[in-house]
Amino acid sequence: MVRERVGPLPVESRPLASLAGAVLAQPVRAERDQPPFDRVTMDGFAIASSAWREGARRFRVAGIQAAGRPPLELGSAESCIEVMTGAVLPRGCDCVIPVELLRTGDGWVEAGDAATVEPFANVHTRGLDCREGDLLLAPGTRLGAPEIAVLASAGLPRADVRADPRIVVVSTGDELVDPGEPIEAWQVRRSNSSALRAALAVRGFPRLAEDHLPDDARVLRERLAAHLATYDVVVLSGGVSMGRYDHVPAALRDLGITEVFHRVAQRPGKPMWFGVSAAGQAVFGLPGNPVSALVCLVRYVVPGLLAAIGAGPSPPESIPLGAPFHVRPALALFLPVQLEQSPMQGTVAMPRPTRGSGDFISLLGTQGFVELPPGPKDYPLGTVSAFRRW
Ligand code: AMP
Ligand code: MG
């Protein structure tokens, strides 16, 4: 439902140096054949293999072909041209004998018995990897290192990509106190926004802002109206449960945000709220409990952000449980796990249940969570389950 409701953001042109992690919004075609010429792959001596077949083993060195220079021409079959890795194969030659297989003298080289010669040995022939005009990258491709190498090699100094969503992470709650501020015994450190921002930053969403709002319906409404005027995506935490001071759903409704769903049959994170503005902005109301907030960010917000940047869904990894686990509630269970290497099964997910959704200390040492269908049910060791990383 989240992916259906979140439309792609506008396209912008960005220079090559700032494309890492972006999602391409244009096709990229090969500028030239790749390799663009018959390219030498070893330092050595280029000859005509026909001369070798006719018995020639000693060759006069007629020139040097350096990388980046236009091709020389082999004058006669008794001669050779010294060539460097990355150079064009000289005209009249069709193979390269590596320098370590030759005895070299003053102006000549001689092949030892170890040398074998065949046409195009140690040559990466023109057009072997792709042809000029071939489609190399399609719109929707996420740009990592190999894709950026291809963009550069296609001669593009910039590319059209989806804009990075401007995201504001808003915590709510009168009990919350910032790190660094004095705190009373009955107050709580404000940690969700920092954790949520970290989870977004490591996924390559750099345009992050933050706010904190009190449990006051009027202030919530005013500040959220300002955020909706500024940001593409609003990620709230807290204030979506059934308490007297949980004003978030009503405030969002007052601001014209259409509720798509509120409450999900899951543990943790049952109070999860999601809606969209008339302009297509996504608004996520995550539960305030720190474990719930983080799980719901990974499970709902991240897929929504991927839709916003025009990327496909990122399916979970399938990993077997490393120990049996019993699911008691009739709710989908998000179970934190620690990945371990088992000699028989490879990577397994060891269940590391928390003591409730407020127990974020127990997440230390876990890498993510698996999703188990509603219980009650016994899941035996080896049950393959859907794993997502924090
Ligand atoms: P709420 O959903 O607002 O009822 O919050 C549920 C629980 O999560 C309460 O114990 C809150 O104190 C706690 N909580 C809410 N927001 C945060 C936050 N930003 N950082 C840490 N704990 C929070
Ligand atoms: Mg609250």
Side-chain angles (χ1 to χ4, degrees):
M1 289 171 85
V2 169
R3 284 190 61 90
E4 277 167 18
R5 296 302 182 114
V6 179
L9 288 166
V11 170
E12 64 184 25
S13 167
R14 269 199 242 159
L16 206 48
S18 55
L19 289 176
V23 175
L24 197 63
Q26 63 165 92
V28 173
R29 295 185 177 278
E31 180 186 34
R32 306 186 291 165
D33 291 349
Q34 184 63 24
F37 50 84
D38 290 336
R39 183 164 52 93
V40 171
T41 63
M42 297 283 277
D43 297 320
F45 291 82
I47 62 164
S49 63
S50 54
W52 179 274
R53 274 197 306 280
E54 281 157 22
R57 293 296 179 268
R58 189 181 161 106
F59 302 89
R60 193 175 57 78
V61 181
I64 300 180
Q65 181 76 64
R69 306 298 304 163
L72 300 175
E73 176 109 38
L74 188 70
S76 80
E78 291 80 52
S79 53
C80 65
I81 293 175
E82 185 173 1
V83 290
M84 310 301 157
T85 300
V88 58
L89 185 68
R91 292 207 185 93
C93 302
D94 66 354
C95 65
V96 172
I97 308 176
V99 64
E100 49 271 40
L101 299 183
L102 294 165
R103 274 184 298 117
T104 54
D106 186 16
W108 54 267
V109 296
E110 193 169 30
D113 292 340
T116 57
V117 166
E118 53 188 63
F120 299 105
N122 302 309
V123 176
H124 196 169
T125 54
R126 175 176 174 165
L128 193 64
D129 301 348
C130 76
R131 289 295 184 179
E132 178 188 334
D134 280 356
L135 180 68
L136 297 180
L137 300 171
T141 304
R142 194 110 199 225
L143 301 176
E147 291 77 18
I148 286 175
V150 164
L151 273 170
S153 80
L156 298 180
R158 26 194 333 119
D160 285 344
V161 294
R162 292 280 161 195
D164 279 320
R166 292 163 297 182
I167 306 167
V168 63
V169 178
V170 183
S171 56
T172 67
D174 290 344
E175 75 280 26
L176 300 171
V177 177
D178 274 351
E181 298 295 320
I183 192 163
E184 302 289 354
W186 50 88
Q187 295 179 313
V188 174
R189 282 286 179 213
R190 194 168 75 89
S191 63
N192 280 353
S193 339
S194 306
L196 301 177
R197 287 181 66 158
L200 294 173
V202 299
R203 286 176 167 79
F205 295 103
R207 299 177 81 179
L208 302 173
E210 183 172 338
D211 194 11
H212 177 70
L213 300 178
D215 292 317
D216 177 306
R218 194 182 55 80
V219 178
L220 267 180
R221 226 174 14 246
E222 280 173 18
R223 300 286 308 165
L224 288 176
H227 291 322
L228 286 163
T230 312
Y231 298 99
D232 302 309
V233 177
V234 179
V235 180
L236 288 138
S237 78
V240 289
S241 322
M242 306 296 278
R244 180 188 292 275
Y245 302 116
D246 290 330
H247 299 303
V248 166
L252 292 171
R253 226 171 290 128
D254 289 349
L255 291 169
I257 307 297
T258 306
E259 178 183 307
V260 178
F261 61 77
H262 185 195
R263 288 191 280 274
V264 180
Q266 62 186 15
R267 177 174 291 173
K270 196 164 164 211
M272 171 79 205
W273 193 98
F274 170 67
V276 284
S277 75
Q281 293 151 292
V283 181
F284 297 90
L286 309 183
N289 268 309
V291 179
S292 314
L294 195 50
V295 163
C296 289
L297 182 95
V298 172
R299 188 67 182 85
Y300 304 107
V301 180
V302 170
L305 294 175
L306 292 177
I309 60 172
S314 69
E317 294 169 58
S318 297
I319 298 189
L321 291 180
F325 196 81
H326 177 70
V327 176
R328 219 167 309 129
L331 301 169
L333 182 73
F334 298 120
L335 174 66
V337 294
Q338 182 164 19
L339 299 185
E340 286 181 3
Q341 296 306 314
S342 127
M344 301 300 287
Q345 288 178 290
T347 304
V348 294
M350 299 304 294
R352 294 285 182 261
T354 62
R355 297 171 198 85
S357 54
D359 174 21
F360 54 98
I361 304 293
S362 290
L363 299 184
L364 299 177
T366 66
Q367 288 78 36
F369 59 89
V370 294
E371 183 171 339
L372 298 173
K377 192 167 162 58
D378 280 313
Y379 290 98
L381 180 152
T383 302
V384 175
S385 49
F387 169 76
R388 290 181 175 83
R389 222 164 264 282
W390 293 130

